[in-house]
Amino acid sequence: MTDPLSRRSFLGTAAAVAAAPSLDARFPAPAVIRSSQARYAAVASANGIRGVTKAVELMTQGADTLDAGVEGVKIQELDPEDMSVGYGGLPNEEGVVQLDASCMHGPSRRAGAVACLEGIKTPSEVARLVLKYTNHILLVGAGAKRFALSYGFKEEDLLTPRSREAWLRWRANRGRDDDWVDVPAGQPIGPRPTGTINLNTINAKGEISSVTTTSGLAWKIPGRSGDSPIVGAGQYTDNTIGAAGSTGLGEANIMACGGFLTVEHMRQGMKPTDAALATLKRVLAMAPPRLVDERGRPRFQLEFYALNKAGEFGSASFFPSKYAAHDGREGRILDTAPLFPR
Ligand code: ASP
């Protein structure tokens, strides 16, 4: 009987392993063609139109892709009028604003995140500190706050008069059988508001980063974390392939690891928009029946934003929507590719 792995063939194998090209070279991104002219680009949820412009401006001045992305999303975190992110974000059912954020830095292959962070206006900056200065990836709740305070962040009331009023109105009108007297509303309470900002960046060297930050679902159960601080769900970067992130119903996205899956779809050769559409199909396939209507359509909205190593970008959503993108020349609001008509 011959030795299945003779010394000769073993040595040959060992030599082949030693001489093997790097992992990246052995598993190259098949259909992603590096543009001959390197370019800056940024793609984000529609509320990121100022953010993509800021991010590209900073990158062209030499800023790192993650730093540029964080500066981009901070515009929304600090804007009291954006009730989906940071300061002025809608609170949980007890009226407490709990913020989630995560980020990834492609070149250094690092990630950082915070969940249920209270009292700090810019969770994206705290997530970046977790990435830069710890061996951890996700800090939550009181520990995340103490971590932020140790770096000199100021604890502040994140409710604005407008977001407090929206919460009080929700509490007063949430059910007929509760002990809160209904408030006759000038305007009826609308659908449960959601919102978030995801922003993905690439610079002229092909370095990629992603960041997502949110106040999460309005009126959520205290302690609930959505997809935004979950690396692989709310955002994901592989510096050899691209980046992707999401806004919309976090629970549905977590089930499909949508950020990661979208990057994997790009690894298989799909363009960013097609990759995002393929992810939405998987999310729907994984969604529990109560989230799907009788026609097989989702009862919720979810959107993905993606860019690849060539600086190409795109976005897809269950139902028609908008997104923000900057191609290195100008920032624009564009239509997402919807899986279903409205
Ligand atoms: N994805 C966020 C969450 O589930 C909410 C949103 O994007 O609207 O917390």
Side-chain angles (χ1 to χ4, degrees), residues 80-105:
E81 297 303 314
D82 190 329
M83 296 173 87
S84 71
V85 182
Y87 178 54
L90 291 171
N92 66 21
E93 65 178 16
E94 291 173 351
V96 178
V97 180
Q98 290 189 321
L99 302 175
D100 296 338
S102 67
C103 57
M104 277 185 87
H105 184 241

Side-chain angles (χ1 to χ4, degrees), residues 101 112-117 126 130 134 136-141 143-145 147-148 229:
V114 288
C116 301
L117 175 64
V126 186
V130 175
T134 77
H136 306 314
I137 287 187
L138 174 60
L139 297 182
V140 306
K145 178 156 60 173
F147 174 81

Side-chain angles (χ1 to χ4, degrees):
M1 199 178 126
T2 54
D3 182 353
L5 191 61
S6 69
R7 182 174 157 73
R8 189 184 147 86
S9 65
F10 173 75
L11 286 177
T13 310
V17 169
S22 73
L23 200 65
D24 291 352
R26 275 182 287 145
F27 300 105
V32 179
I33 300 148
R34 188 83 182 88
S35 56
S36 53
Q37 235 201 330
R39 68 194 223 206
Y40 296 91
V43 64
S45 41
N47 55 351
I49 184 63
R50 291 179 296 173
V52 291
T53 305
K54 177 86 185 172
V56 169
E57 185 189 307
L58 289 173
M59 288 192 293
T60 54
Q61 291 162 8
D64 169 76
T65 49
L66 178 57
D67 293 338
V70 168
E71 289 308 312
V73 299
K74 268 172 60 187
I75 296 173
Q76 296 315 112
E77 289 179 329
L78 294 170
D79 182 352
E81 297 303 314
D82 190 329
M83 296 173 87
S84 71
V85 182
Y87 178 54
L90 291 171
N92 66 21
E93 65 178 16
E94 291 173 351
V96 178
V97 180
Q98 290 189 321
L99 302 175
D100 296 338
S102 67
C103 57
M104 277 185 87
H105 184 241
S108 61
R109 299 199 292 265
R110 292 170 80 172
V114 288
C116 301
L117 175 64
E118 295 177 13
I120 309 292
K121 280 181 172 170
T122 53
S124 65
E125 289 189 302
V126 186
R128 184 177 51 183
L129 287 171
V130 175
L131 175 153
K132 273 174 105 168
Y133 296 121
T134 77
N135 283 325
H136 306 314
I137 287 187
L138 174 60
L139 297 182
V140 306
K145 178 156 60 173
R146 284 203 298 278
F147 174 81
L149 295 177
S150 76
Y151 283 92
F153 282 82
K154 230 176 40 201
E155 186 170 357
E156 292 171 89
D157 182 0
L158 301 186
L159 280 178
T160 57
R162 194 164 156 232
S163 60
R164 182 184 297 280
E165 140 82 19
W167 170 66
L168 288 173
R169 189 174 289 284
W170 168 79
R171 188 177 69 174
N173 292 281
R174 70 176 154 175
R176 286 207 186 138
D177 300 326
D178 65 27
D179 291 326
W180 300 99
V181 178
D182 285 6
V183 177
Q187 64 194 65
I189 294 177
R192 195 175 188 183
T194 61
T196 295
I197 178 167
N198 160 249
L199 202 162
N200 310 292
T201 49
I202 182 165
N203 67 12
K205 287 186 268 178
E207 295 171 337
I208 304 170
S209 289
S210 51
V211 54
T212 300
T213 173
T214 188
S215 51
L217 281 188
W219 336 134
K220 60 193 173 186
I221 295 174
R224 175 263 188 191
S225 157
D227 57 335
S228 307
I230 308 295
V231 171
Q235 57 77 38
Y236 192 76
T237 293
D238 179 328
N239 207 53
T240 65
I241 304 295
S246 67
T247 62
L249 186 65
E251 281 75 2
N253 181 28
I254 291 171
M255 294 289 287
C257 303
F260 175 77
L261 188 60
T262 304
V263 171
E264 290 308 294
H265 285 142
M266 291 193 284
R267 191 190 306 277
Q268 289 160 18
M270 290 184 201
K271 296 283 189 190
T273 303
D274 293 333
L277 281 167
T279 298
L280 287 167
K281 289 180 189 164
R282 180 75 70 84
V283 170
L284 188 53
M286 292 295 291
R290 71 190 157 75
L291 291 181
V292 181
D293 73 12
E294 47 303 323
R295 284 184 294 169
R297 293 157 43 134
R299 295 185 194 277
F300 57 94
Q301 174 69 307
L302 191 63
E303 309 185 12
F304 286 95
Y305 318 93
L307 60 74
N308 66 17
K309 190 79 176 164
E312 297 167 319
F313 51 76
S315 170
S317 52
F318 276 130
F319 302 105
S321 187
K322 304 276 183 194
Y323 73 107
H326 199 297
D327 61 6
R329 290 186 300 274
E330 56 170 345
R332 276 180 302 162
I333 292 281
L334 301 164
D335 291 321
T336 63
L339 200 56
F340 299 103
R342 183 36 77 201

